[in-house]
Amino acid sequence: MQTSMPITKSPNDHRQYQYLQLDNGLRVLLVEDLQAQQAAASMAVNVGHFDDPASRPGMAHFLEHMLFLGTEKYPKSGEYHAFINQHGGSNNAWTGTEQTNFFFAIDAEVFEESLDRFSQFFIAPCFDLELVDRERHAIESEFSLKLKDDIRRTYQVQKETVNPAHPFSKFSVGNLKTLDGDEKTLRQELLDFYQTHYSANLMTLCLVAPLPLSELLSLAKSYFAPIENRALTKQYPKVAIYEAAQLGQQINIVPLKEQRRVAITFPLPAIDRFYKRKPLTFISHLLGYEGKGSLLSHLKEQGLAINLSAGGGVNGYNFKDYNISIQLTEKGLLQLDDVIQASFEYLKLIKTQGMQAWRYQERANLLKLAFKYQEQIKPLDLASHLSINMHHYEVVDLIYGDYRMDGLDVTQVTELLDLMSPDNLRIQLISPDLDTEKQAAWYHSPYQMKPIDKQRLHPWRDPDVRETLKLPDPNPFIIEDSIARDVKSDHPVPVVVCQETGYRIWHKKDDEFNVPKGHMYLSLDSHQAAATPKHAALTRLYVEMLLDYLTEFTYPAEVAGLSYNIYPHQGGITLHLTGLTGKQEALLSLLINKARERNFTQDRFKQIKKQILRNWFNQSRAKPISQLFTSLTVTLQKSSFEPQRMAEELEDITLDDLHNHVRAFYEKIHLEGLVYGDWLTEEAQALGKRLDHILSLVSSPSGESERELIKLENVGTLMREVSVNHQDSSIIVYYQSAEATPLKMALFSLLNHTMSSTFFHELRTKRQLGYMVGTGYLPLNRYPGMIFYVQSPTAGPLKLLEAIDEFIADFNYAVMQITNDQWELTKQGLVNQIMEHDPNLKTRGQRYWSSIGNKDYDFNQRELVAEKIGELTRSDLIKFMMQKMRTKHGDRLILFTTGEQHRNQEQLTSDNMITDLRSFKQRAAKFSY
């Protein structure tokens, strides 16, 4: 066993780290986190779909699925999932191009037992012959789920237009066609693939737990030393991802959703070796600038583009695509060459005027501060992230590597900029109504690949930079350093520090996380916000117009780590500010002053209105189950409306209508705010007084807007069919509590916790009804509830409802079978989940803000719920189920879609069907608060 040098960590990081290599070649990172309540583990294996045999696309992904379905030591297929769930945990895995990542989190008391189960994936998996065919169908369901996903459809075109000898060209997901054959042959191929590619020397393991490093070391050796080291080496082909024939091409792709986007792509070499200086981060920092004089600002002023991002793109062992991705307007699509021309001009500007150390240092300073005041993340996220980092960074930089910027290397940056030229270029254009001549395999996306005419390339080679394009000035919001004030809070939870008629400000000084950051939430309630679909559409339009208008003024603050978001809700709008406290007030002043200007132009109004209409139109092309989740809140919340309904209203709205709406919106306002973090009480009070003064100039005080929720008591089984054009069917069955009490919250959340893994195992793994299968605890407007959901390529809504009802009817018996010990462990697992320690300022702030929204003014609702869970018996749960879900005619709401391939099956019908949503919502009984 080898141990190694210390690992650079943030001064704000209380964890202890130890890196070692076991005798079998497995690289391990141990993380002692004595503040964590959960433990986590992640294994990253250096194998992905690049390793799939040519005759078996999707094999790496198929294998990932099979490893969950039983090992020689723990052969039951649902045992691992049930164990994790019972003990308050979660687990998942993903297969990428060159890595497969398996990870889980669980209550720390059972970490050892969970590692015993987890490690067996990599020691002795069963590959149960009876489960091979079943899991093939699960892969098919996963493939089917994304058939109408534009990201997948575009990705497949990209794969078909690269060098076919490069492994990137392979179809990665797999389906019934690629994984066909008899079970015995397939099982043998799985075994062969596992033995050929899974080896301890290609794996990296990260363990995070509230245990001393010495104990973690003992666990790592005990459970992972038996993994076989087959001494494998990676041998991906030394071929370029693009040959000359694939460069200098424009690829047109027709999407399903309405969108217009161009990706200007420059193929670069692999980037891992650049991580210490991050030259591409520096280039993106300048190219992605959005203030006055930026590339995006110019394109917006010309009416050519809506947004821009720089730096994304696929990457791997010997390649990196650098993309300038631009969302185009209709005019921008017609003047595509002007957009590309401006992009090359800005690249030239960076090359000729941008190579200044202070510019690089601005970006480096931001990363330095982010690292110094690095906020903790959950053990699960940390374990997964670090296990992947072990494949990319030197040991000393496993944590610091993401933040490291050692200084500007002009030669390095220039070499990369030289590759961003018209002679090393691909253009990917996505838009409806483009010329196409082919269909991509598997996803049937129409596309065309054509050489870019040399005459088009010529003006881009050495363009004159127009005067309107400018590099950013020094950023006034960036600070060298900041220190959290060492002032203890007088109160354990937020308290009201400012209150008058129509407004209330809560405050809590943080004294746990020790970061000079703050979170400020300000909710403006107005009765005008969502009184009708037209009001709701106008409020959404106002928010989008405001965000668009503010971008140029606030971009320097955003770059400096001061971020904000404005979003509409049932009663009005919320502003959320976060970042380093030293400059937060300056940003808030800027936001308020600019918001009051309301300087909206007719051109931007037209563009933003089109954009919103397009987004709402595109929601009708989302996955069926996603559309049902939207429809659930729309059906039950009085002030929520279907995107299609709001779109009808928005079509005819004018700029004058918007200005009138904004005026009416602010006439009567109720403000509720939370200031949390490195803010002193007197600062929060002074802020409250200033906000009150500003509001008094434009509005008079008002009460809070009511949030009304449809009451399902005594309605029986209500049904609503949602029309969706998709091959799959989907269903949501929702049960609602008639009371918002801790006891009811405890019962619904415990029922969900007890059912979830069994429901998943029965309907997804055993019955193969679909890939998207689950249950969920779903509180709406404070009232607890529970949902069952399935999206299925194989069964229509009637069969899905029958399967759900059958499961519910049988579940009483399953509860009766649970031993007392298992019952207590199940309850404790849920209590641990509910009471999980907030890992950082952000999570704590979100929890406080949710409590205020739920009128949990003592901030102890979760403690009350946890206490009730502790008191519940199995008979309480069985009695609750029999009362709430006793028959198929109990009070509930069923939403469903019928897939194109299930229209000939027996249809789901009811006498209690919602056919006119508007009149249903008007006459239905409601809760309000």
Side-chain angles (χ1 to χ4, degrees), residues 78-79 92 164 178 182 275 280 328 437 586 684 688 845:
E79 201 272 350
N92 214 330
T178 70
D182 67 274
Y275 84 82
L280 290 179
L328 301 166
E437 57 203 21

Side-chain angles (χ1 to χ4, degrees), residues 857-888:
Y857 296 144
D858 293 323
F859 300 90
N860 67 345
Q861 185 176 281
R862 64 179 194 157
E863 284 81 1
L864 296 174
V865 172
E867 190 182 318
K868 290 293 181 192
I869 290 167
E871 295 167 1
L872 290 171
T873 64
R874 281 178 299 164
S875 60
D876 290 333
L877 195 68
I878 290 167
K879 195 163 99 184
F880 174 65
M881 277 189 71
M882 292 181 76
Q883 286 170 346
K884 195 76 207 163
M885 306 175 179
R886 62 192 179 282
T887 69
K888 295 176 184 179

Side-chain angles (χ1 to χ4, degrees), residues 108-172:
E109 302 80 54
V110 291
F111 193 39
E112 181 164 1
E113 296 96 307
S114 63
L115 289 178
D116 187 20
R117 288 162 171 78
F118 183 63
S119 60
Q120 292 299 316
F121 288 17
F122 314 101
I123 296 167
C126 281
F127 299 120
D128 188 331
L129 188 62
E130 290 179 15
L131 298 178
V132 169
D133 189 55
R134 202 166 77 188
E135 211 50 32
R136 256 179 6 117
H137 282 83
I139 296 280
E140 173 70 21
S141 289
E142 190 175 345
F143 163 71
S144 169
L145 184 75
K146 297 288 180 80
L147 271 174
K148 296 197 172 182
D149 181 313
D150 275 329
I151 294 171
R152 281 279 172 92
R153 298 169 84 256
T154 302
Y155 193 53
Q156 185 57 35
V157 172
Q158 196 175 356
K159 285 174 166 296
E160 288 190 20
T161 57
V162 304
N163 180 356
H166 195 279
F168 182 79
S169 64
K170 296 177 183 180
F171 169 52
S172 55

Side-chain angles (χ1 to χ4, degrees), residues 709-762:
L709 182 74
I710 304 296
K711 193 189 282 191
L712 295 182
E713 205 172 9
N714 302 320
V715 299
T717 293
L718 260 178
M719 291 194 191
R720 180 174 172 224
E721 181 167 16
V722 178
S723 178
V724 173
N725 182 24
H726 197 280
Q727 73 276 7
D728 291 2
S729 291
S730 63
I731 191 166
I732 287 180
V733 179
Y734 165 78
Y735 291 89
Q736 179 192 72
S737 172
E739 299 164 38
T741 62
L743 175 61
K744 287 294 193 275
M745 292 170 190
L747 281 162
F748 270 98
S749 53
L750 183 57
L751 182 59
N752 172 61
H753 184 69
T754 312
M755 277 185 164
S756 62
S757 71
T758 317
F759 183 77
F760 180 86
H761 185 66
E762 286 292 323

Side-chain angles (χ1 to χ4, degrees), residues 53 165 234 236-238 271 279 301 304 337 380 534 665 679 891:
K234 297 307 291 182
Y236 291 134
K238 292 178 179 172
I271 55 169
E301 278 173 15
L304 301 173
D337 284 11
L380 179 68
K534 183 173 183 176
F665 182 98
W679 281 79
D891 295 336

Side-chain angles (χ1 to χ4, degrees), residues 25-26 31 74 101 104 284-285 314 389 423 428 445 456 466 474 505 522 528 537 586 659 669 707 793 815 827 868 890:
L26 176 69
V31 185
Y74 298 98
N101 190 202
F104 75 89
S284 299
H285 171 61
V314 296
N389 276 8
D423 299 311
Q428 181 180 277
S445 15
R456 283 179 74 195
R466 69 197 77 196
I505 301 289
L522 300 171
Q528 297 291 316
H659 285 139
I669 287 289
R707 274 75 156 163
V815 176
K827 290 198 300 176
K868 290 293 181 192

Side-chain angles (χ1 to χ4, degrees), residues 32-250:
E32 172 191 305
D33 183 353
L34 300 179
Q35 293 180 17
Q37 287 168 312
Q38 286 210 316
S42 174
M43 182 76 89
V45 189
N46 193 182
V47 58
H49 84 76
F50 280 8
D51 299 280
D52 286 346
S55 59
R56 283 286 183 219
M59 181 56 91
H61 182 211
F62 187 27
L63 176 64
E64 172 229 299
H65 276 237
M66 290 299 298
L67 293 188
F68 282 90
L69 300 179
T71 59
E72 286 176 18
K73 190 169 182 180
Y74 298 98
K76 279 191 179 172
S77 61
E79 201 272 350
Y80 172 77
H81 189 72
F83 182 85
I84 299 282
N85 187 68
Q86 185 179 29
H87 296 283
S90 58
N91 71 96
N92 214 330
W94 52 261
T95 304
T97 52
E98 297 168 40
Q99 265 100 30
T100 305
N101 190 202
F102 302 84
F103 44 91
F104 75 89
I106 198 163
D107 293 343
E109 302 80 54
V110 291
F111 193 39
E112 181 164 1
E113 296 96 307
S114 63
L115 289 178
D116 187 20
R117 288 162 171 78
F118 183 63
S119 60
Q120 292 299 316
F121 288 17
F122 314 101
I123 296 167
C126 281
F127 299 120
D128 188 331
L129 188 62
E130 290 179 15
L131 298 178
V132 169
D133 189 55
R134 202 166 77 188
E135 211 50 32
R136 256 179 6 117
H137 282 83
I139 296 280
E140 173 70 21
S141 289
E142 190 175 345
F143 163 71
S144 169
L145 184 75
K146 297 288 180 80
L147 271 174
K148 296 197 172 182
D149 181 313
D150 275 329
I151 294 171
R152 281 279 172 92
R153 298 169 84 256
T154 302
Y155 193 53
Q156 185 57 35
V157 172
Q158 196 175 356
K159 285 174 166 296
E160 288 190 20
T161 57
V162 304
N163 180 356
H166 195 279
F168 182 79
S169 64
K170 296 177 183 180
F171 169 52
S172 55
V173 183
N175 59 19
L176 281 178
K177 285 196 180 109
T178 70
L179 302 170
D180 66 335
D182 67 274
E183 286 91 330
K184 277 188 182 173
T185 306
L186 264 178
R187 183 185 182 278
Q188 188 56 51
E189 288 181 43
L190 280 163
L191 203 55
D192 291 346
F193 187 82
Y194 181 76
Q195 289 169 350
T196 310
H197 293 285
Y198 273 58
S199 172
N201 72 303
L202 296 181
M203 299 180 183
T204 54
L205 173 71
C206 181
L207 303 181
V208 182
L211 297 170
L213 288 172
S214 55
E215 279 188 47
L216 287 171
L217 176 58
S218 173
L219 291 173
K221 285 156 90 173
S222 298
Y223 295 105
F224 296 91
I227 299 174
E228 189 177 342
N229 182 1
R230 299 186 171 96
L232 300 177
T233 52
K234 297 307 291 182
Q235 292 182 319
Y236 291 134
K238 292 178 179 172
V239 295
I241 187 168
Y242 304 113
E243 293 181 304
Q246 285 105 27
L247 289 173
Q249 300 285 328
Q250 178 169 319

Side-chain angles (χ1 to χ4, degrees), residues 489-508:
S489 175
D490 297 330
H491 305 279
V493 294
V495 293
V496 175
V497 291
C498 246
Q499 184 163 8
E500 296 288 343
T501 310
Y503 92 100
R504 178 169 48 201
I505 301 289
W506 298 77
H507 168 255
K508 167 83 170 81

